[in-house]
Amino acid sequence: MRMIHTSDWHLGRSFHQVGLLTAQAEYLDHLVEVVRSESVDAVVVSGDVYDRAMPAPDTVELLSESLTRLVDAGATVVLSSGNHDSAIRLGFGAGLLERAGLHIRSSVSSIGRPVVVEGVAIHPLPYLEPSVAGVALGTDERTHAGVLGAAMDRVRADVESRGLPSVVMAHAFVTGGATSDSERDISVGGVSAVHPSVFDGVSYAALGHLHGRQQVSETVRYSGSPVAMSFSEWRHTKGSLLVDVAASGAVTVEDVAAPVHRRLAVLRGDLEDLLSSPEHEAAEDAWCQVTLTDPVRPLGAMEQLRRRFPHTLRLEFDPQGVIVPVRTYAERAAAADPVDVCCDFLAHVREGYAATDAERGLLAEAVEAVRLDRGERDDEGRAGAGAGSEKASGRHTRRGVA
């Protein structure tokens, strides 16, 4: 049996406010072509099909069309729910869809009932929240290891009764796996880590949840997400795993790279170097995370960066070298020259970037205009006060004469 192991599609996800649906659609087009070109018998998706429990209509439409195309290409498609999915919504109509070659497993009650494809028993395990699944699985151990162990007991019982090679799909954090910034923490509700030995007794464990492709043990692997979702994944090679399971249970695995909609680049340095150095040419069409090391934060840094790197999505500052000292508010207020006070304040709010000569000139004009206006108002006030005194004195004299 030849299958594609994939997971963590996260359909509908955004990457720093940029929608990923186009990139995800490109991957699904690629997946359909792989099914055709490689004569794939089964496509298994180990959780986090959607990015959120209530996906947008265009996201649902993309999944519907893609699953239809995969089945039409000749594959049996097996989906299990992940911690991002709504198990009930994803599993709607599952019984009816099985007749068309689409198997969606999102409930605890389905555990132990495999999908048999070309003589291999595929056991999909939905994401198991310990506080919820523990009772249904008959275990008092409210941890991820506890509920997954109980689920695997059901799987092994079925495997022994059938005597077929077996694949288990699971969405979990297995000890030894490397994490990235884009995965949701699943530790709430119990200890999150699961030892890989929990999957003993099956030919292959097709895991989801961690977004980097990796091999945890000889038969336990993560396919990783097909599209990067954080800059911590910029060195990842995204794709799927092409897995052949022999009648003996022997497994061979081949990496299948996914199309790259737009590369990720992580840049670091001072602004002048980033804008001029030819070594950064490859990042000009990439989604960029930039860390500026200038000792003083440059004015309009993002605007300047986007002239060369138009897809810069994240900008951070890590000043290096001699940092311009910024005086406290008390020190600024004590300055003799009001223009100096204004210039110091401007440097403060710009994290050390001093006022230019042009800005100092504008501030000097503003301070002088305020001084003149205040002087005129003070003169008018004194004149008005003097007139009031004379009137008061005259009234007093007349009253005295009367």
Side-chain angles (χ1 to χ4, degrees), residues 76 93 114 141 151 163 242 272 278:
T76 298
E141 189 178 347
L242 183 62
E272 183 179 354

Side-chain angles (χ1 to χ4, degrees), residues 24 43 55 68 91 151 214 298 323 377:
Q24 292 164 336
V43 175
T68 300
Q214 51 201 294
I323 300 175
R377 285 190 281 109

Side-chain angles (χ1 to χ4, degrees), residues 53-392:
M54 298 185 67
D58 56 350
T59 304
V60 176
E61 183 179 5
L62 174 61
L63 179 64
S64 177
E65 292 177 352
S66 299
L67 294 177
T68 300
R69 293 170 62 201
L70 288 169
V71 172
D72 287 346
T76 298
V77 182
V78 187
L79 273 65
S80 57
S81 55
N83 57 297
H84 278 250
D85 299 308
S86 165
I88 293 175
R89 292 185 179 90
L90 184 66
F92 172 78
L96 181 62
L97 292 171
E98 281 192 12
R99 303 176 189 178
L102 172 59
H103 302 261
I104 303 174
R105 300 295 174 84
S106 59
S107 67
V108 175
S109 61
S110 69
I111 296 174
R113 180 170 63 88
V115 178
V116 179
V117 180
E118 298 295 323
V120 176
I122 301 174
H123 282 271
L125 303 183
Y127 169 69
L128 301 171
E129 175 58 46
S131 61
V132 177
V135 175
L137 288 168
T139 177
D140 294 328
E141 189 178 347
R142 299 297 192 267
T143 65
H144 287 276
V147 294
L148 199 52
M152 284 302 300
D153 287 342
R154 294 188 183 185
V155 169
R156 278 186 285 267
D158 181 83
V159 168
E160 290 174 5
S161 69
R162 293 177 187 272
L164 296 175
S166 56
V167 172
V168 64
M169 301 163 56
H171 196 83
F173 173 42
V174 176
T175 305
T179 63
S180 60
D181 294 343
S182 57
E183 298 135 6
R184 182 182 294 173
D185 183 14
I186 60 173
S187 61
V188 176
V191 177
S192 61
V194 176
H195 195 275
S197 62
V198 76
F199 300 109
D200 288 352
V202 296
S203 306
Y204 182 82
L207 302 185
H209 180 58
L210 300 185
H211 292 174
R213 179 195 299 170
Q214 51 201 294
Q215 181 175 355
V216 179
S217 71
E218 188 64 29
T219 58
V220 179
R221 293 180 184 246
Y222 283 98
S223 65
S225 63
V227 176
M229 286 169 273
S230 72
F231 280 107
S232 66
E233 302 167 55
W234 75 289
R235 295 186 184 276
H236 288 186
T237 299
K238 297 297 186 179
S240 313
L241 297 175
L242 183 62
V243 183
D244 286 299
V245 183
S248 64
V251 172
T252 58
V253 182
E254 179 183 345
D255 296 338
V256 180
V260 179
H261 176 73
R262 193 178 299 282
R263 294 189 316 103
L264 303 188
V266 175
L267 306 177
R268 179 183 176 88
D270 62 72
L271 182 61
E272 183 179 354
D273 175 69
L274 291 175
L275 294 179
S276 61
S277 175
E279 70 177 284
H280 304 304
E281 287 180 2
E284 291 176 359
D285 193 43
W287 277 322
C288 295
Q289 172 184 287
V290 180
T291 301
L292 292 180
T293 59
D294 301 71
V296 176
R297 181 176 297 194
L299 288 178
M302 181 64 91
E303 180 181 0
Q304 294 187 65
L305 284 166
R306 282 182 172 168
R307 292 192 190 116
R308 183 178 187 188
F309 310 107
H311 305 288
T312 300
L313 300 181
R314 186 174 182 181
L315 177 59
E316 298 179 345
F317 297 92
D318 183 18
Q320 302 293 310
V322 179
I323 300 175
V324 176
V326 179
R327 292 190 288 176
T328 66
Y329 281 107
E331 290 171 330
R332 283 192 295 274
D337 187 346
V339 177
D340 288 340
V341 175
C342 293
C343 289
D344 280 348
F345 178 77
L346 188 61
H348 172 74
V349 297
R350 296 197 307 208
E351 307 226 354
Y353 195 96
T356 63
D357 291 342
E359 290 170 335
R360 186 178 182 88
L362 287 173
L363 289 169
E365 290 177 15
V367 168
E368 181 64 13
V370 170
R371 187 187 67 78
L372 292 174
D373 181 68
R374 180 177 294 172
E376 290 176 3
R377 285 190 281 109
D378 287 347
D379 288 344
E380 290 172 0
R382 284 193 293 270
S389 299
E390 290 175 2
K391 290 177 183 178

